């Protein structure tokens, strides 16, 4: 617990350092450039390619980060102690809230060009994807069967061989799944980061998100529809051309003694496998791989004893290490406090904490409503193989779709019916978050063993009892996974959902999301940082106090 | 035999750290691996035989003492050894050939040479035709053959085998054993010595030139002797039976006969209320075994195990449980029910439970201690974690959990107390139901 608080403090100090650096550099912001974005739907294919390119670069970076740092955390005790809680906190930091600060930073790094905006956008997508992929890499390496580890050490594999022959293949299935899930969530960040306002200036980079942003600002319904259509095509294409083949291919890394379950199929993968060029590439690849194996001995060998003895000297270094860390943390937190409280003392925190509490109530309502609506539906869908086959890809698209595109429609309704945004924001947050609950619960219902279902039929168990004693407990485990993701999504969405504009209409709800959004537009970095820190703390606390217990309960009592 | 040993293990101890202090797994073990022998390390679970094998392999360093290979101290994975694993440890994403080559690849052997050597190993082991198969396409026996080939191809001095046949079905295991014997005695076999860990007594007597029997808690060598039977060895021969009986006799020596220090230790455990370690036997197993014993009378454990097709790890917990409950007498490799045991075996379900209850209360210190604590507690309920903490002072973490689980299983069966897993709460049975 103490360690977790220390790590959280460290993460906040790093954010603070970034803000302080940008404040002190005091670079003048370039003028708005959003006029460059075309309002002609004919440019959408080009914009789609640009958006996709950004997404792929960020995904590549996220994978590179995950492989290196996940592996490192699994192999090095000190790295593990720092990184695992850090990843947990980073997952809870609302990336979107920090966008204005990174944009300013990157603009300063690349003066006079759009590269800064590109970099900021890619960075935002990267931070939305990297942490859970990294965690999956770490978890796979840590849970590798001990016989594999012993085999590797006894046959004295080099570090390079070990990484590519054991750790990476062992983690592949998890890496692909997490990549797919991360990308589903990242479309939202992609589009949001393509069109952004900082300190009164509007910045946009060519992309579907920017196109949609302009259309929303202009109240142009036709263009909004075109953007929505383009987005759906992009999501479907990435699923068909990228993820389905990858998922089917990754099946060969399944570490099971017997092959079970339905094989994943992908016609694209079959096409690639039938083609001839991969075989030719294979020969070249083998030669390069051989050369690399022979020339990477300097990276070390896996021939190490398992249980290294902790020496006295090691302990002394441990103590010194922790003293340095403590001094750094205390000084950092003190500075952070002085900066964000801005001479007002503790009262500076009253407003954001109250607002975060309001947003938390919204998140709770989102979860409760999504659960009540979707869990029964999901159970029914999951138990019918036919329905599940049709519903699953649709739900996946819904979960991927950047719902900020839909806000104008909803906002128009709110205005027409005079609905208060304080309630309306709940619906906006729910639009994106609910799908995770539906998606995961369907998967859970599909996994219920047939003999259990038949036993229930056999004993004529029906009605409420069927739900209470059988169906609901059986999906509880996967429901919790969906709930955590949905809650995380809802918190993040609050930043765009609590302050929405359409044409000249601007609707604001009281909450930490609108607090951050307004600070961003004003270019008030202090307030952005304060909002982000408070929201992160709420998210982490919510996870620790509520979801972690649910997980424990699911594992202990409701695992099938 | 006059040559220097290939590997010597010199008075090693091995402790694993637990939150309550170190847990001793190996205690003062010395053994040599001689040139040209097949050495079997035989013991029940908890005897540290796998830990000893890993110390020889250099995968795990001893807490004190050392292991030397050709006079050099082993401080990391021992290059003069290669291991065959219990569950094969084949990489599922590599083909048979790639799996076999991986050790050579690590040594930087060129591709052509690698392929040549792997093919010759495939040929020797009889894997031809399976080169490009993935492990998941193979049966268990074929997988373990790949495991053999992978170890052989690196041409180690000593081949280490960690219960290599225990994950296979009986027929497959038998077939692979005879292939192994054939291989060892053939000219193509370049490996000097073999060390095999097993809990299967017949397997040890079939394969080994020498058997070292390990005792449990902590692991130490109880006896080591040569097996002087000409090959091929026939299971039915009197010599074969002689060695089987000999192993059983060594295994059933009671702790007091063995070692005074150990007896003193278990005495001190009695005083703090924990008594002897509970054998990991289920109540169903105990009752079923007692039924069989009732029909069999006084029997040699070796014969009994053979008839019932039970291995050491299966039969000894049952025998120890019966002995602990004073339902059976064990001496000199033989076991017989006592009068109380006979009564227990013949009783109906309800009266068997009653007999079990009084036997458990009289003889199982952990159960009577739990019951006394429950009766004294004002709420008449206690958390399982409390007893787990007590147990952890004497056992490793996993073993403590096993002890408590067994005690709860026995106590529930005897209707002495109840347990709520969700709340981790032990309670006395409700009076209206008892």
């Amino acid at each position: 617990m103490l360690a977790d608080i220390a790590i959280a403090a460290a993460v906040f100090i790093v954010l603070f350092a970034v803000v302080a650096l940008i404040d002190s550099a005091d670079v003048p912001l370039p003028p708005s450039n959003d006029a460059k974005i075309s309002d002609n739907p004919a440019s959408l294919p080009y914009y789609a390619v640009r958006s996709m390119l950004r997404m792929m670069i960020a995904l590549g970076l996220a994978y590179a980060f995950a492989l290196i740092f996940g592996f490192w955390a699994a192999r090095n005790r000190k790295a593990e102690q720092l990184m695992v809680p850090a990843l947990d906190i980073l997952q809870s930091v609302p990336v979107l809230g920090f966008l204005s600060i990174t944009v300013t930073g990157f603009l300063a790094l690349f003066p006079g060009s759009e590269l800064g905006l590109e970099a900021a956008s890619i960075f935002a997508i990267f931070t939305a994807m990297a942490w859970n992929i990294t965690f999956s890499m770490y978890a796979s390496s840590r849970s590798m069967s001990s016989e594999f580890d012993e085999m590797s050490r006894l046959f004295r594999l080099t570090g390079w061989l070990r990484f590519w022959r054991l750790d990476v293949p062992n983690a592949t299935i998890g890496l692909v799944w997490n990549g797919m899930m991360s990308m589903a969530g990242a479309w939202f960040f992609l589009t949001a980061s393509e069109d952004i306002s900082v300190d009164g200036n509007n910045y946009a980079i060519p992309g579907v998100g920017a196109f949609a942003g302009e259309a929303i600002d202009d109240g142009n319904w036709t263009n909004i529809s075109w953007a929505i259509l383009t987005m759906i095509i992009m999501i479907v294409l990435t699923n068909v051309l990228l993820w389905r083949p990858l998922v089917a291919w990754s099946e060969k890394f399944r570490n099971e003694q017997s092959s079970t379950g339905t094989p994943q199929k992908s016609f694209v993968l079959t096409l690639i496998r039938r083609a001839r060029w991969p075989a030719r590439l294979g020969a070249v690849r083998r030669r390069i791989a051989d050369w690399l194996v022979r020339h990477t001995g300097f990276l070390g060998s896996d021939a190490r004893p398992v249980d290294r003895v902790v020496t006295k000297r090691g302990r002394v270094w441990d103590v010194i290490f922790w003293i340095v860390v403590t001094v750094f943390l205390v000084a950092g937190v003190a500075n952070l406090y002085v900066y964000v409280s801005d001479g007002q003392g503790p009262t500076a925190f009253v407003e954001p904490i109250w607002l975060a509490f309001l947003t938390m109530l919204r998140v709770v309502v989102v979860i409760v409503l999504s659960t009540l609506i979707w869990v029964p539906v999901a159970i029914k869908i999951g138990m019918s193989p036919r329905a599940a086959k049709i519903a699953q890809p649709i739900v996946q698209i819904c979960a991927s779709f950047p719902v900020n595109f839909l806000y104008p429609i909803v906002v128009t309704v709110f205005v027409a019916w005079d609905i208060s945004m304080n309630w309306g924001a709940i619906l906006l947050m729910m639009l994106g978050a609910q799908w995770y609950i539906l998606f995961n619960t369907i998967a859970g219902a599909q996994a219920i063993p047939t003999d259990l279902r038949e036993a229930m039929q056999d004993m004529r168990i029906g009605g409420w009892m069927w739900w209470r004693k059988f169906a609901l407990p059986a999906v509880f485990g996967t429901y919790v996974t969906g709930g955590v993701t949905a809650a995380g999504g809802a918190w993040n969405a609050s930043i765009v959902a609590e302050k929405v504009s359409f044409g000249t209409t601007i609707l604001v709800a009281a909450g930490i999301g609108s607090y951050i959004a307004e600070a961003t537009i004003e270019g008030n970095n202090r307030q952005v940082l304060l909002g982000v820190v408070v929201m992160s703390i709420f998210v982490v606390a919510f996870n620790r106090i509520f979801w972690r217990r649910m997980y424990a309960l699911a594992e202990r009592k409701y695992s099938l | 035999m006059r040559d220097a040993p290939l590997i010597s293990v010199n008075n090693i101890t091995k402790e694993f750290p637990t939150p309550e202090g170190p847990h001793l797994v190996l205690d003062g073990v010395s053994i040599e691996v001689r040139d040209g022998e097949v050495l079997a390390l035989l013991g029940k679970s908890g005897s540290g035989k796998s830990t000893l094998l890993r110390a020889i392999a250099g995968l795990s360093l001893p807490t004190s003492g050392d292991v030397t290979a050709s006079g050099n101290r082993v401080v990391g994975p021992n290059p003069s050894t290669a291991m065959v694993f219990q569950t094969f440890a084949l990489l599922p994403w590599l083909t048979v050939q790639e799996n076999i080559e991986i050790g050579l690849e690590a040594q930087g052997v060129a591709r052509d040479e690698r392929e040549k050597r792997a093919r010759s190993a495939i040929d020797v082991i009889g894997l031809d035709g399976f080169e490009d198969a993935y492990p998941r396409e193979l049966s268990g026996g074929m997988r373990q053959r790949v495991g053999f080939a992978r170890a052989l191809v690196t041409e180690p001095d000593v081949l280490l085998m960690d219960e290599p046949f225990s994950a296979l079905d009986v027929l497959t295991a038998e077939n692979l054993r005879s292939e192994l014997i054939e291989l060892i005695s053939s000219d193509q076999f370049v490996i000097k010595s073999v060390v095999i860990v097993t809990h299967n007594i017949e397997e040890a007597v079939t394969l080994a030139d020498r058997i070292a029997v390990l005792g449990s808690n902590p692991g130490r060598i109880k006896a080591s002797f040569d097996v002087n039977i000409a090959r091929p060895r026939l299971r039915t021969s009197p010599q074969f039976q002689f060695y089987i009986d000999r192993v059983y006799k060594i295994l059933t020596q009671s702790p007091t006969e063995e070692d005074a220090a150990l007896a003193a230790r278990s005495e001190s455990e009695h005083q703090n209320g924990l008594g002897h370690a509970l054998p990991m036997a289920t109540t169903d197993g105990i009752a079923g075994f007692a039924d069989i014993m009732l029909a069999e009378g006084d029997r040699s454990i070796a014969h009994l195990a053979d008839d019932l097709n039970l291995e050491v790890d299966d039969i000894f917990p049952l025998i120890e449980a019966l002995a602990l409950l004073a339902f059976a007498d064990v001496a000199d490799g033989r076991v017989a029910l006592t009068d109380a045991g006979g009564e227990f075996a013949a009783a109906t379900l309800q009266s068997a439970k009653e007999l079990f209850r009084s036997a458990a209360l009289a003889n199982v210190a952990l159960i009577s201690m739990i019951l006394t604590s429950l009766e004294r507690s004002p709420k008449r309920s206690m958390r399982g974690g409390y007893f787990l903490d007590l147990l952890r002072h004497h056992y490793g973490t996993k073993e403590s959990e096993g002890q408590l689980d067994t005690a709860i299983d026995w106590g529930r069966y005897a209707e002495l107390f109840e347990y709520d897993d969700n709340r981790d709460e032990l309670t006395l049975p409700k009076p209206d139901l008892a």
Side-chain angles (χ1 to χ4, degrees), chain A residues 145-158 161 164-167 169-171 251-259 286-287 289-290 293-294 302-307 309 553 556-557, chain B residues 14 16 54 57-61 75-79 81-83 85-94 102-103 105-108 110-111 114 134-136 138 143 150-151 154 160 162 421-422:
Chain A
S145 99
S146 65
E147 284 199 337
F148 281 171
D149 184 59
E150 289 179 341
M151 187 279 288
S152 162
R153 290 187 294 126
L154 197 55
F155 287 105
R156 299 200 303 294
L157 298 198
T158 60
L161 260 183
W164 289 109
R165 288 292 157 78
L166 257 82
D167 289 86
N170 184 54
E251 283 297 305
K252 78 169 192 172
F253 297 99
R254 196 167 286 285
N255 183 11
E256 260 170 20
Q257 300 297 344
S258 59
S259 41
R286 258 200 299 283
R287 211 172 289 158
D290 273 4
V293 167
R294 267 182 279 119
D302 208 21
R304 71 203 147 83
V306 117
D307 29 22
V309 194
L553 183 66
R556 203 177 62 239
K557 197 170 168 190
Chain B
K14 176 75 192 177
F16 286 112
R54 276 157 179 74
L59 290 171
S60 159
L61 296 185
V75 289
N78 184 346
T81 64
M83 182 142 28
F85 292 89
Q86 185 174 5
T87 53
F88 325 132
L90 302 179
L91 299 176
W93 39 85
L94 299 185
I102 196 160
E105 202 177 351
Q107 292 172 15
R111 181 174 287 274
R114 230 157 61 201
Y134 285 95
R136 64 173 167 272
L138 304 180
R143 283 182 202 166
R150 181 178 62 188
T154 59
L160 306 177
D162 183 12
D421 185 45
N422 281 325

Side-chain angles (χ1 to χ4, degrees), chain B residues 12-86:
Chain B
I12 63 166
T13 59
K14 176 75 192 177
E15 292 171 347
F16 286 112
T18 67
E20 282 74 28
H23 177 59
L24 192 62
V25 180
L26 288 176
D27 188 11
V29 172
S30 297
I31 197 163
E32 291 177 345
V33 181
R34 300 169 192 155
D35 195 346
E37 74 170 351
V38 177
L39 169 65
L41 303 175
L42 180 73
K44 303 181 224 173
S45 59
S47 61
K49 53 191 190 297
S50 284
T51 311
L52 176 56
L53 192 75
R54 276 157 179 74
I56 293 173
L59 290 171
S60 159
L61 296 185
T63 314
S64 71
D66 62 16
V67 178
T68 56
S70 318
N72 300 316
R73 189 155 182 230
V74 173
V75 289
N78 184 346
S80 61
T81 64
M83 182 142 28
V84 175
F85 292 89
Q86 185 174 5

Side-chain angles (χ1 to χ4, degrees), chain B residues 143-165:
Chain B
R143 283 182 202 166
Q144 194 53 299
R145 284 188 179 89
V146 180
F148 278 131
R150 181 178 62 188
L152 291 179
V153 80
T154 59
E155 299 182 355
D157 286 343
V158 182
L159 179 67
L160 306 177
M161 298 199 278
D162 183 12
E163 306 200 10
F165 309 115

Side-chain angles (χ1 to χ4, degrees), chain B residues 51 72 81 90 105 149 151 208 234 255 259 272 278-279 300 305 311 331 345 381:
Chain B
T51 311
N72 300 316
T81 64
L90 302 179
E105 202 177 351
L234 290 177
D259 188 343
N272 61 45
L278 289 184
S300 119
E311 291 191 359
S381 78

